[in-house]
Amino acid sequence: MGYLLLAGAIAAEVAATTAMKYSDGFSRLIPSLLTALGYLVSFTLLAQTLKTVSVGTAYAIWAGVGTAAIATIGVVFLGEGMTAVKAVGIALIILGVVVLNLGGAH
């Protein structure tokens, strides 16, 4: 159940960060409200996750997967460039999450 909550926390954080891009520095109401709501949901779910998953593991996965997802969204949907260095960085994040889980994170 902890990892399901963590997945929800990651999804909410990615949605909030994406909405922040469209908030235009918090000058547009709807994207700004979606950003605040997304982070509220994300932190609430992350807090619930910490009841069953260690804080170091949960936070590393939350931050790492969120970062990789946002970088991917930037490239695929927002026209940001993909360099070899960026691709390697995303791959290393994913590898780190896999290693955490193989290393007894759960």
Side-chain angles (χ1 to χ4, degrees), residues 44-87:
T44 300
L45 292 174
L46 183 59
Q48 293 301 310
T49 298
L50 297 179
K51 291 180 178 180
T52 58
V53 179
S54 70
V55 67
T57 299
Y59 186 76
I61 293 171
W62 179 80
V65 172
T67 300
I70 286 298
T72 302
I73 287 169
V75 169
V76 174
F77 297 107
L78 301 175
E80 295 178 3
M82 174 60 80
T83 64
V85 172
K86 187 182 272 190

Side-chain angles (χ1 to χ4, degrees), residues 1-98:
M1 184 63 162
Y3 285 95
L4 186 59
L5 291 170
L6 183 57
I10 293 166
E13 187 267 335
V14 168
T17 302
T18 303
M20 189 186 306
K21 169 71 174 167
Y22 292 103
S23 76
D24 196 26
F26 293 115
S27 65
R28 297 180 60 215
L29 181 62
I30 299 300
S32 298
L33 291 175
L34 290 173
T35 298
L37 177 63
Y39 279 115
L40 178 66
V41 169
S42 181
F43 286 130
T44 300
L45 292 174
L46 183 59
Q48 293 301 310
T49 298
L50 297 179
K51 291 180 178 180
T52 58
V53 179
S54 70
V55 67
T57 299
Y59 186 76
I61 293 171
W62 179 80
V65 172
T67 300
I70 286 298
T72 302
I73 287 169
V75 169
V76 174
F77 297 107
L78 301 175
E80 295 178 3
M82 174 60 80
T83 64
V85 172
K86 187 182 272 190
V88 169
I90 292 169
L92 286 172
I93 291 168
I94 293 167
L95 180 64
V97 170
V98 170

